Amino acid sequence: SKPFIGEAEKQAVLEVLESGMLVQGARTARLEEKFAAVCDTQYAVATSSGTTALHVALLAHQIGPGDEVITTPFTFMASANAILYVGAMPVFVDIELDSFNIDPELIEAAITPRTKAILLVHLFGYPCNMDTIMTLAERHNLIIIEDACQAVGAKYKGKPVGSFGTGCFSLYATKNVMAGEGGMITSSNETITTRCRMIRNHGMQRRYYHDMLGYNFRTSDLHAAIGLAQIERLHDFTKARKANAAFLSSHLTSVVTPQVRPGYEHVWHQYTIRVDGGRDRDAAVKLLNNAGIGTGIFYPVPAYKQAHLAAMGYGDLNLPVTERCVREVISLPIHPLLNQADLETIVTWVNKI
């Protein structure tokens, strides 16, 4: 990936420095308003990272020790770690081969009397099957927390991700809207939003009056200023990513390319192929890297096989689709700064796999 940093971002940071208001000021409030508008929610709460957004959201829903949270094993580790932070236990459900997202048909079998929530991940910018998941949540009275850290602007049947439950986003440097670092929580629930605002700021509503246990998970106006400049370009960034994805999908013939179902709007945070048929994925990565093409493997180890979770007894899980994907996936450049020559080079070398 390659972050776009233009004059607007540079000028925005200088203005904050000159203003003297560096932490959680007017620009943070404006970024919250912009995010709520993009996600079609009433509220948004800025945090210090996507990870702290997930942590705060779980705390705001009063999820804690003794609770179980159903989630995906094929994701960045923050998704599962946030569940552990609050003392709850992640319950891993296998994924769909074509979407890389949690398989909604397998969720119900994982529900127990201790299940409190489903923490789903809209991986790589592609929405989960929200009709099925929302139906299950309503039937079993479960909370929905959307890890949309890679999916700002994505939609399911015209409805933005982050508006189905409590949405959590990342503004890390590689994201579609970046601020260098930062996070955002979206919600239309006033009670949850109030709790989120308190938890991120030492449990305060009024300065020095601490109504609950809280943390220092605030963001700064420096980061918010960059995010404001970026979110103004979200439409253009997404348009470019979609065009790049369309070119790759129409020209790649040697690998399994990502598919988009009707009614799903993909925002292409990552363009992830599969090197199937038992071929050597690592040899394919070496071929591309030697040709000067950057690649990423997201993710080489499923969450349940990471050392701290394996030590807790998760290591013996057998989730066959996840195991297959960790062997086959490669993410290719898809960012908006690619030019036509870049795209043609990518196609030429990937088709040599």
Side-chain angles (χ1 to χ4, degrees), residues 101-264:
N101 287 332
I102 192 168
D103 188 338
E105 300 302 325
L106 302 178
I107 291 175
E108 192 156 32
I111 296 171
T112 75
R114 296 171 63 184
T115 305
K116 188 79 173 284
I118 301 170
L119 193 160
L120 56 90
V121 181
H122 303 294
L123 196 68
F124 303 145
Y126 188 62
C128 293
N129 180 340
M130 294 310 301
D131 280 347
T132 303
I133 293 172
M134 294 301 290
T135 298
L136 280 172
E138 290 167 10
R139 184 186 306 154
H140 295 278
N141 194 30
L142 300 178
I143 296 158
I144 293 290
I145 295 177
E146 299 175 71
D147 181 338
C149 286
Q150 301 180 356
V152 60
K155 295 180 180 179
Y156 176 81
K157 296 186 177 179
K159 185 176 172 64
V161 301
S163 65
F164 292 89
T166 301
C168 299
F169 296 84
S170 170
L171 301 175
Y172 182 65
T174 59
K175 296 300 190 287
N176 292 27
V177 169
M178 74 93 188
E181 187 61 277
M184 194 69 67
I185 302 166
T186 54
S187 177
S188 291
N189 183 307
E190 185 176 5
T191 299
I192 294 300
T193 300
T194 299
R195 287 180 190 160
C196 287
R197 293 192 188 281
M198 294 170 67
I199 292 165
R200 72 156 178 198
N201 191 26
H202 295 292
M204 293 187 291
Q205 291 194 79
R206 290 189 299 157
R207 193 167 177 81
Y208 303 129
Y209 289 80
H210 304 270
D211 300 315
M212 63 187 300
L213 177 66
Y215 300 81
N216 180 1
F217 288 162
R218 299 185 303 265
T219 191
S220 76
D221 262 25
L222 288 166
H223 292 96
I226 298 170
L228 279 167
Q230 288 268 305
I231 205 166
E232 294 295 337
R233 296 192 179 97
L234 176 59
H235 174 77
D236 292 337
F237 287 167
T238 302
K239 183 178 179 181
R241 288 176 179 273
K242 288 179 177 179
N244 293 342
F247 183 88
L248 294 177
S249 292
S250 63
H251 289 82
L252 293 177
T253 57
S254 66
V255 294
V256 180
T257 56
Q259 304 299 306
V260 181
R261 302 169 186 167
Y264 292 67

Side-chain angles (χ1 to χ4, degrees), residues 3 7 17 35 40-41 60 65 71 81 85 107-108 110 114 117 141 152-153 155 184 208-209 244 319 337 351:
E7 289 303 316
L17 291 173
F35 242 90
D40 195 23
T41 58
T71 193
N81 279 348
Y85 293 160
I107 291 175
E108 192 156 32
R114 296 171 63 184
N141 194 30
V152 60
K155 295 180 180 179
M184 194 69 67
Y208 303 129
Y209 289 80
N244 293 342
L319 303 180
L337 296 179
N351 282 337

Side-chain angles (χ1 to χ4, degrees), residues 67-81:
D67 294 330
E68 293 177 349
V69 179
I70 291 171
T71 193
T72 171
F74 193 61
T75 178
F76 183 58
M77 199 61 210
S79 307
N81 279 348

Side-chain angles (χ1 to χ4, degrees), residues 332-343:
L332 303 175
I334 191 68
H335 59 80
L337 296 179
L338 294 173
N339 59 38
Q340 188 62 30
D342 295 330
L343 292 167

